[in-house]
Amino acid sequence: MPTTMEPKLITGNANKPLAQAIARRMTIHRNLGLVEARVERFNDGEIFVEVFENVRGEDMFIIQPTSNPANDNLMELLIMADALRRSSAKRITAVIPYFGYARQDRRAKARTPISAKLVANMLVEAGVERVLTMDLHAAQIQGFFDIPVDNLYASPIFALDIKEQFKGNMEDIMVVSPDVGGVARARELAKRINAPLSIVDKRREKPGEVAEMTVIGDVTGKKCLIVDDMCDTAGTLCKAAEVLLEHGATEVHAYISHGVMSGPAVERVTNSVMKSLVITDTIQPTGPVANAPNIRVLPTAPVFAHAIMNIWNGASVSSLFETETLEGAYEGLLK
């Protein structure tokens, strides 16, 4: 049964522009704004949260990606959840557009942690009763939670953008997975736009370094779209673009869900052979990212606003997995 209260949104400091954009999208249906609160730090770095509005009995949605600085943003999320629980909120949903620590989803070596599971436990202990996120690095992370987890996908947004950007040239498109592990994600987008699939097989000698790359599939004469869930330092991405051109591709573009863009990433992308890198705003773009000539940022506020309304109403979220469902919400936004 849907609650009789209005959904209420609150945000930390991780990505205020996205939170404000989600609130604006939701005002189309209801006169909603962000709950007034202060999320501050003491001189020693401790985080303090104070909520200025009554939230007793309310359905609360905390919008807070756990991006860089990951530890600070995660602690903000946990402390906000605790503050809301102690203020008698009826239900607390953590809207985590980018779920940090997701790369530590298994024990690849002896004596290493499974930090994604630890973060899941911390969120539940803090009072979070539901999680809404986008493009988890590993799908099995949903199973780390004993509460409902709704994992949205960026691929419907990417499909809409690709059809707009490559209108009239769709037969030349080739979707490329940058590694064997990402084939399922790339295949999903390829099916949406009815394009063939290729793979760049990479072999690492040690983390962060790529020793060798091999292209599986014929990319000759194709406009290649590299698809992945995150771009950190962009070393692998830029190298893959070079290899694709060497194998006969005419253009290389990249569609990445989360633009982590650490260290030399922006410089590498700017100087790379890629014609464009398309990311979403799940992580707030830095100044260099926003000003880079070959980086575009797609909005996720429409899909998150839609998902929040569906969760609040007790409606299905899976309808947002379909490209056709989002066409109206993104009309005029992708140019």
Side-chain angles (χ1 to χ4, degrees):
M1 292 292 291
T3 177
T4 55
M5 299 290 182
E6 296 287 324
K8 285 199 171 182
L9 312 180
I10 189 170
T11 184
N13 295 310
N15 196 341
K16 284 186 175 181
L18 176 58
Q20 291 162 351
I22 292 172
R24 284 195 299 270
R25 292 291 304 189
M26 293 180 69
T27 58
I28 297 173
H29 308 283
R30 285 172 169 77
N31 186 23
L32 296 176
L34 294 171
V35 168
E36 285 193 43
R38 64 179 175 129
V39 182
E40 299 178 349
R41 283 166 178 72
F42 293 125
N43 290 334
D44 64 352
E46 285 186 12
I47 294 167
F48 175 75
V49 172
E50 182 179 7
V51 182
F52 294 132
E53 298 181 25
N54 179 23
V55 297
R56 183 179 297 273
E58 299 284 4
D59 198 354
M60 299 298 304
F61 293 83
I62 308 172
I63 303 170
Q64 177 81 344
T66 51
S67 49
N68 185 33
N71 298 333
D72 287 356
N73 289 330
L74 175 60
M75 281 305 298
E76 281 190 10
L77 174 58
L78 295 171
I79 293 172
M80 282 190 290
D82 185 71
L84 294 173
R85 180 180 61 173
R86 295 177 188 277
S87 302
S88 301
K90 181 178 181 180
R91 181 176 68 171
I92 301 169
T93 299
V95 181
I96 312 174
Y98 169 72
F99 189 93
Y101 284 101
R103 285 175 281 187
Q104 300 182 47
D105 62 302
R106 64 193 184 280
R107 295 188 68 197
K109 299 178 182 177
R111 297 177 297 280
T112 57
I114 305 179
S115 302
K117 171 59 176 170
L118 174 62
V119 170
N121 291 344
M122 292 166 67
L123 288 169
V124 173
E125 285 298 315
V128 172
E129 298 169 67
R130 190 179 198 101
V131 170
L132 174 64
T133 186
M134 177 172 279
D135 275 345
L136 283 170
H137 182 66
Q140 68 264 24
I141 292 174
Q142 295 176 80
F144 294 173
F145 290 88
D146 292 323
I147 57 175
V149 177
D150 292 304
N151 184 31
L152 301 175
Y153 300 101
S155 57
I157 308 171
F158 289 162
L160 289 172
D161 186 74
I162 291 166
K163 290 174 181 178
E164 177 67 27
Q165 297 296 321
F166 298 94
K167 192 181 299 180
N169 297 300
M170 292 299 294
E171 67 280 358
D172 297 329
I173 297 297
M174 171 77 80
V175 174
V176 179
S177 172
D179 53 42
V180 175
V183 169
R185 182 180 296 106
R187 185 188 295 120
E188 170 66 20
L189 180 59
K191 286 172 61 178
R192 289 179 186 274
I193 62 175
N194 194 27
L197 177 66
S198 181
I199 304 167
V200 175
D201 181 31
K202 64 183 179 185
R203 301 189 182 189
R204 295 182 188 269
E205 296 207 340
K206 58 183 179 179
E209 292 186 7
V210 180
E212 181 184 353
M213 283 188 167
T214 305
V215 177
I216 303 173
D218 185 9
V219 298
T220 304
K222 295 291 187 179
K223 299 179 189 294
C224 290
L225 310 182
I226 302 174
V227 178
D228 208 352
D229 68 311
M230 68 174 68
C231 175
D232 193 347
T233 60
T236 299
L237 184 64
C238 294
K239 177 64 176 174
E242 293 174 7
V243 172
L244 289 168
L245 287 178
E246 290 171 3
H247 281 72
T250 58
E251 295 179 6
V252 179
H253 305 260
Y255 279 81
I256 310 294
S257 304
H258 308 297
V260 180
M261 307 304 284
S262 303
V266 175
E267 182 181 358
R268 283 176 172 171
V269 171
T270 302
N271 297 327
S272 74
V273 296
M274 280 189 298
K275 292 202 69 174
S276 69
L277 166 62
V278 181
I279 58 177
T280 73
D281 62 354
T282 54
I283 298 173
Q284 184 175 348
T286 61
V289 170
N291 295 326
N294 58 343
I295 299 179
R296 288 193 298 119
V297 182
L298 301 183
T300 56
V303 68
F304 276 110
H306 208 319
I308 290 170
M309 290 304 301
N310 284 12
I311 290 170
W312 176 74
N313 281 312
S316 171
V317 174
S318 61
S319 62
L320 301 177
F321 300 167
E322 302 301 324
T323 304
E324 294 75 15
T325 306
L326 298 180
E327 283 182 346
Y330 276 86
E331 188 174 359
L333 293 179
L334 305 175
K335 295 181 180 178

